[in-house]
Amino acid sequence: MRPPNGLRMSLLMRDTPVHDRPRERLASLGPDCLRDAELVAILLRTGTKATPVTTVAERLLQTFDHSLTRLAAATATDIRKVAGIGLDKA
């Protein structure tokens, strides 16, 4: 989706305001203030060229019923079925 007036929307984390970045929020607020998807995004480190890491993390959690326990118990093969998760991230 393209923003109005021909502006390009950046998917890079460095273009996200500092106070909205998961790693910075973790450092300033602690883990209890972050959503599970933000914590997973920190572990993943990067998204894809087309998908920000936070979106990949949200998809990953959605695949496993928003359960960190189910995600932790999943096989690498199951995790790799999620778009944006390759061999190295699984």
Side-chain angles (χ1 to χ4, degrees):
M1 175 166 48
R2 197 159 218 184
N5 301 326
L7 298 174
R8 293 182 66 200
M9 185 168 55
S10 175
L11 299 176
L12 300 175
M13 191 58 66
R14 70 173 172 242
D15 294 332
T16 302
V18 173
H19 64 274
D20 287 340
R21 297 178 193 170
R23 193 171 306 279
E24 285 75 3
R25 286 175 37 83
L26 175 64
S28 65
L29 302 173
D32 293 335
C33 293
L34 273 67
R35 296 178 299 116
D36 289 344
E38 291 175 302
L39 295 170
V40 171
I42 291 169
L43 295 175
L44 294 175
R45 295 192 41 142
T46 61
T48 68
K49 288 183 180 182
T51 310
V53 66
T54 50
T55 301
V56 175
E58 288 167 359
R59 287 179 186 164
L60 192 56
L61 282 170
Q62 188 174 32
T63 299
F64 295 97
D65 300 322
H66 301 280
S67 169
L68 291 174
T69 302
R70 288 185 180 159
L71 175 57
T75 66
T77 301
D78 289 335
I79 292 171
R80 289 182 61 205
K81 292 177 184 176
V82 175
I85 302 294
L87 182 61
D88 291 340
K89 290 187 190 259

